[in-house]
Amino acid sequence: ESGRSLGSADEPQSLALNLTVLPRWVKVVPPQFYTPSLRRRIEAVVTLWSAVSILWAMWQLYRNLPLLHELLAPFVRVLNRYLDALLSRLNAALHQVTEVWHSYLR
């Protein structure tokens, strides 16, 4: 193991093939830390960041383009109504949980 680099000629061909699909920065991370579960978590964070970025861009277009604002306004009002109802139910549920914890901590 001493002195061998990743993807060297004395390693199995399958390992060299698998290393070609990994990002370049993996060489910096110790192998015991870069596990498949960490890779899935990184993928989830990147996916979430992408989704938030797309939603933010759409919101900016909605706010700044009058034509798009007029076209989507009815949908936004309906979505806002449902979101308000959902948040009020969530608020009531969290209020009950808070009361239970408050009585428990007394």
Side-chain angles (χ1 to χ4, degrees):
E1 295 269 337
S2 63
R4 287 196 322 176
S5 63
L6 295 176
S8 64
D10 56 341
E11 290 182 337
Q13 187 69 14
S14 63
L15 180 61
L17 288 175
N18 286 336
L19 290 176
T20 60
V21 298
L22 295 176
R24 290 182 185 166
W25 56 265
V26 170
K27 295 175 187 174
V28 179
V29 178
Q32 64 267 23
F33 295 128
Y34 190 69
T35 61
S37 64
L38 177 65
R39 188 172 184 174
R40 284 190 298 273
R41 281 185 254 148
I42 292 171
E43 182 179 327
V45 167
V46 169
T47 302
L48 180 66
W49 182 261
S50 298
V52 167
S53 297
I54 290 170
L55 288 173
W56 180 256
M58 291 173 64
W59 171 250
Q60 291 301 315
L61 286 173
Y62 172 77
R63 275 188 21 182
N64 296 315
L65 292 177
L67 177 65
L68 190 63
H69 183 80
E70 290 175 17
L71 287 173
L72 295 179
F75 298 107
V76 171
R77 278 195 296 271
V78 170
L79 182 66
N80 194 15
R81 190 177 331 135
Y82 283 116
L83 188 61
D84 282 342
L86 177 69
L87 288 177
S88 67
R89 288 182 181 164
L90 181 63
N91 187 31
L94 289 176
H95 184 68
Q96 288 178 347
V97 169
T98 303
E99 287 179 353
V100 168
W101 273 101
H102 183 68
S103 65
Y104 175 74
L105 293 175
R106 281 188 187 171

